[in-house]
Amino acid sequence: MSSESASFPTSVVWDESMLAYNFGPTHPMNPQRLALTARLASDLGLFDRDGVTVAEPFVATDGELGTVHSSHYITAVRTADTNPDQADQALGLGTADNPAFPGMHDASARLVGGSLAAADAVLSGRTVHAVNFGGGMHHASRSMASGFCIYNDAAAAIQRLLDAGTQRVLYIDVDAHHGDGTQNIFYDDARVMTISLHETGMSLFPGTGFANETGGVGAEGYAVNVALPTLAGDGGLLRAFHSVVPPLAEAFQPEVILSQHGCDSHVDDPLTNLRISIDAQREMAVSIRDLASRICEGRWIATGGGGYNVTSVVPRAWSTLIAVAAGAPIGPKTAVPESWRSYVLEHYGAEAPLLMGDGADTWWRSWEVGYDPNDDLDRTVMATRKAVFPLHGLDPWFD
């Protein structure tokens, strides 16, 4: 049975309590993107599919948060929660990106609890795949909020896996923005390989994530960054992904893969420039799922992340992610349910797309066809391969 027609035990984390992660009506991180994703997934029948369970997130304890965040920072978040006017802006709290609001601690810790629940489900063997599309808060560092992210749920889930005895975790981040917080939390830990493919920091926040960021002492080669040209497009991103991720995954041999699927790389996202289609985002999700199947007995945890086109992009991207995880036969040519389109029109005044995909051409050039030194995309891929591949016994030209 091919992976495209298989069914996989899949746990999906969702509850309306996750909508409490709300920075206000004018902030780009609109929680309705989660509600619309859940509604579309439900209308597609994904929540009723055999093998799919919907799990409720819990509020992570201070002890669980403290595995990846400093106690001083957790206290500061609690202070900002109860007294927003006293938020410590030096720690990234109470800023334009991360406004303080009552209930912020619990709302942020609940997203962490969602990814911890996903990790627990995979660790226990109850499921093979787990999806927390409300997670992926990858900019939060050990002691600072950043880029709409208060606590780093992906890092907490990785640490949960490590604390349970997992020896190697591969983190793959395909958000348009560099996964800086997750990278930095594990920068000195060779048990975790972080791979981030993102729009170059020359044109996009947070301004980091270049090829020379390769890991700390004792973990050289375990931080991997592909700083994509600003207007990379589907073919460029997919060429970069397939030129870097599978060879390193095979060399690293992770026991679990955790991926972040921010869909703000989409051509219609208001904050970024990469010009990626949902079709290409789906292809990367399928590739990650198949890597997990081949390397680590299927163990795969997927999170959401960025994505700011609330009605036409985010719900389709993350419902597609759930479908890929579950092995549901939903692809780019699948019709968007009329019930969901009518709901979007009635409640948001927006005409939703007719299909789950964008009708994009996702053809990409394999690395085997050769390296073009005059191509911006090839130069950035080669910079990454030269910086990291030899540290894992790989040839940057041919592997």
Side-chain angles (χ1 to χ4, degrees), residues 293-318:
S293 178
R294 187 164 70 248
I295 297 172
C296 48
E297 299 179 332
R299 290 183 290 270
W300 174 37
I301 300 164
T303 71
Y308 309 103
N309 186 317
V310 174
T311 56
S312 70
V313 175
V314 177
R316 288 189 300 147
W318 290 345

Side-chain angles (χ1 to χ4, degrees), residues 282-295:
R282 178 183 185 274
E283 180 168 328
M284 288 187 293
V286 169
S287 296
I288 293 169
R289 182 194 66 193
D290 291 351
L291 279 173
S293 178
R294 187 164 70 248
I295 297 172

Side-chain angles (χ1 to χ4, degrees), residues 374-395:
N374 295 312
D375 183 83
D376 287 347
L377 186 282
D378 277 20
R379 287 199 301 272
T380 198
V381 170
M382 181 57 88
T384 299
R385 289 171 62 105
K386 283 185 174 180
V388 174
F389 273 35
L391 298 171
H392 298 281
L394 299 172
D395 188 314

